[in-house]
Amino acid sequence: MSKTRNQGKKKQKDTLLKRINNWLHLWLGLISGIIVLIVCLTGCIWVFNEEITGLLEPETKVAWQDKPVVKPSELMQIAAKLYPEKVPSYANYQQGRAINLNLRAANAGLKDRRTGNTILKVNPYTGEVISTEVHKPGESDFFRFILNGHRFLWMPAKIGRPIVNYGTLIFVVLLITGLIWWYPNKWNQSTRDKSFKIKWGASFKRVNLDLHNVLGFYALLFLLAIALTGMVYGIKWYSEGIYWVTSGGDKLAEYKRLDSDSTLKGKGYTPEKAMDMAWSQVITRHPKSMGFYYNFADTTDARAAINITVYPNKGQFYNSQGYTFDQHSLNELKREDAYSITYAQASFGQKLRKMNYDIHVGSILGFPGKVLAFLASLIGASLPITGFLVWYGRKFKKKKPGKILVKQPNVIHQEQAEQLLAEI
């Protein structure tokens, strides 16, 4: 009885705000748990996609050499020789690796994936084809599968994307409510130990609770950074709002396709010449770039343009620089999105937007940052599991049989007995 009263008094000490906070943390956690688990686990794997690919494909490692990489026209010639029925779609490269040259069917547009694609791994200095990957229509490689789970839960994008986006928003709320729940009412040696240390020698329930509370606290800031940057890619109002706040009230310019002048079709440069000249302009401005991505203009679409992005640092994208050229005249087309300006010239809001992906995967801090992102995501994946076990243990715990109270017989004191006898 006294134990029940003490528990009741303990519950009454919580304010209404804290009771609402705890209720939100519990039920939002139960609702979004499976989403958080999948997104965090796939995020763990994706963080090291380049490193894992390098281990699985050691032949694609190419030592840096102090000489130019092959030109776009040379890649086009390689593709035409091996696959005359296909045309290059895009090429990407990072120093120390082979060039990935993606080929598509000649009669398919850039966005048409129903025809499948072929990827050639090409030595960036000699043009030698190191390996070939052929993907059938609808087929994807391992990391594309992981990314689809991370972004869509392997559902159709129209269904899975909003579920992941708003599941991530719920996760942000869970992190904040979890911090409030974690914060003790009074700091002393006992509460400090419970808040910052895992008692490994305790019972399973206690260790599980510590794993949820303590690890959740230590990973909090990293998980918030990952979640907040992830929502930039999926929730439009959030993305625009964050940019508005960080840029001092500027409106986020939407990415718009820049078109070539279709009236110049057949009057300008050949596709090979246009690609080489565009590439030459960009690489002249960035001679020390450690990576690049460029798409070959779709010659079946007279309005299609040439897009080239260069990456000054290996494994990082925040200071990348993008360029767009008319495929016929080779005039540079002016972009107005946040990625069009150089990092050095960008405002704070633009710099933050350019750093968004690197913050999301931890590469903003180099390889140690990726390790931190991996560990934080792993902890994030564990939180729905440990949280569920905490709730299940409290909700469905076996109740100990209560003590049987034996009713004592009525006892009449001596004075009462004498008084009764006197009245008879």
Side-chain angles (χ1 to χ4, degrees):
M1 180 72 74
S2 60
K3 186 176 180 181
T4 304
R5 287 175 181 171
N6 290 336
Q7 289 175 344
K9 289 180 180 179
K10 189 175 181 180
K11 288 182 180 179
Q12 290 174 2
K13 289 181 180 179
D14 289 339
T15 63
L16 176 62
L17 180 61
K18 193 158 188 177
R19 291 201 298 272
I20 293 174
N21 176 85
N22 297 350
W23 183 88
L24 283 173
H25 188 78
L26 169 63
W27 290 105
L28 289 179
L30 290 174
I31 292 169
S32 65
I34 190 65
I35 301 171
V36 172
L37 176 63
I38 293 174
V39 171
C40 286
L41 277 180
T42 51
C44 283
I45 300 171
W46 178 260
V47 163
F48 290 116
N49 73 89
E50 294 173 7
E51 289 78 6
I52 295 173
T53 300
L55 291 174
L56 297 177
E57 301 175 357
E59 71 278 4
T60 62
K61 290 184 178 180
V62 180
W64 177 80
Q65 299 178 34
D66 188 14
K67 61 182 184 179
V69 298
V70 294
K71 297 178 181 179
S73 61
E74 295 177 271
L75 293 177
M76 296 172 77
Q77 292 168 10
I78 292 169
K81 183 178 179 180
L82 295 176
Y83 295 91
E85 76 284 2
K86 293 180 178 289
V87 294
S89 174
Y90 66 82
N92 62 48
Y93 163 76
Q94 284 197 38
Q95 191 177 95
R97 308 292 304 173
I99 295 175
N100 291 317
L101 177 61
N102 187 286
L103 311 180
R104 59 179 174 81
N107 59 350
L110 292 176
K111 295 183 179 180
D112 191 351
R113 298 180 181 176
R114 293 173 295 177
T115 57
N117 66 324
T118 300
I119 299 176
L120 304 181
K121 306 283 186 177
V122 182
N123 186 301
Y125 307 108
T126 66
E128 175 193 358
V129 177
I130 299 171
S131 64
T132 302
E133 298 176 5
V134 179
H135 298 286
K136 297 178 181 178
E139 185 182 21
S140 61
D141 58 22
F142 174 74
F143 282 109
R144 174 57 61 178
F145 173 79
I146 291 298
L147 188 60
N148 288 341
H150 188 70
R151 298 176 67 187
F152 316 130
L153 303 178
W154 301 291
M155 298 179 181
K158 290 183 179 180
I159 299 174
R161 187 188 291 274
I163 293 175
V164 169
N165 293 339
Y166 286 96
T168 305
L169 179 59
I170 290 174
F171 184 55
V172 171
V173 176
L174 285 171
L175 291 172
I176 297 170
T177 55
L179 177 63
I180 297 172
W181 197 334
W182 168 88
Y183 196 88
N185 293 327
K186 183 170 64 175
W187 287 104
N188 53 43
Q189 186 61 44
S190 176
T191 56
R192 279 194 292 271
D193 288 342
K194 289 181 180 179
S195 300
F196 300 109
K197 297 179 182 178
I198 299 174
K199 193 174 181 180
W200 294 107
S203 65
F204 171 79
K205 286 185 177 180
R206 172 60 190 275
V207 173
N208 180 74
L209 180 62
D210 286 349
L211 289 172
H212 188 76
N213 291 341
V214 178
L215 293 184
F217 170 75
Y218 286 130
L220 176 69
L221 292 179
F222 300 103
L223 289 173
L224 274 175
I226 292 170
L228 293 173
T229 51
M231 289 193 298
V232 166
Y233 298 111
I235 304 178
K236 185 177 180 181
W237 61 263
Y238 169 81
S239 177
E240 293 176 347
I242 285 292
Y243 187 80
W244 184 84
V245 171
T246 57
S247 64
D250 290 343
K251 185 178 180 181
L252 178 64
E254 294 184 11
Y255 174 79
K256 295 181 180 179
R257 167 179 159 163
L258 298 177
D259 294 333
S260 298
D261 185 352
S262 59
T263 62
L264 298 177
K265 183 178 181 180
K267 302 176 183 179
Y269 300 98
T270 63
E272 293 82 3
K273 187 69 173 177
M275 284 300 304
D276 280 355
M277 292 182 67
W279 169 247
S280 179
Q281 286 190 44
V282 172
I283 206 64
T284 300
R285 300 181 198 179
H286 305 273
K288 296 183 179 179
S289 291
M290 294 190 177
F292 63 78
Y293 169 91
Y294 56 74
N295 73 280
F296 297 84
D298 181 5
T299 55
T300 63
D301 182 358
R303 297 177 303 165
I306 299 170
N307 293 290
I308 301 177
T309 301
V310 290
Y311 307 106
N313 297 342
K314 183 179 178 181
Q316 293 180 322
F317 306 95
Y318 71 93
N319 55 355
S320 62
Q321 181 66 38
Y323 299 90
T324 302
F325 298 91
D326 185 301
Q327 68 164 308
H328 310 296
S329 65
L330 217 61
N331 291 332
E332 185 175 343
L333 305 178
K334 182 61 178 175
R335 294 171 56 178
E336 296 181 354
D337 57 275
Y339 300 95
S340 62
I341 192 170
T342 64
Y343 182 80
Q345 296 175 327
S347 65
F348 174 76
Q350 290 171 324
K351 286 181 177 178
L352 195 62
R353 183 52 56 99
K354 290 169 79 71
M355 290 190 294
N356 192 79
Y357 178 78
D358 289 307
I359 295 173
H360 188 62
V361 299
S363 60
I364 192 69
L365 300 176
F367 185 78
K370 285 190 169 187
V371 174
L372 288 174
F374 170 82
L375 293 175
S377 297
L378 193 61
I379 292 172
S382 74
L383 294 178
I385 300 172
T386 53
F388 176 81
L389 292 175
V390 170
W391 170 77
Y392 187 85
R394 291 177 177 176
K395 184 72 175 178
F396 300 101
K397 65 180 179 180
K398 294 181 180 179
K399 295 182 179 180
K400 295 181 180 179
K403 294 181 179 180
I404 299 175
L405 299 178
V406 180
K407 189 176 181 179
Q408 297 293 330
N410 292 329
V411 178
I412 301 177
H413 292 284
Q414 183 178 1
E415 292 180 359
Q416 292 175 321
E418 291 178 352
Q419 185 177 359
L420 288 172
L421 290 172
E423 293 176 351
I424 297 175

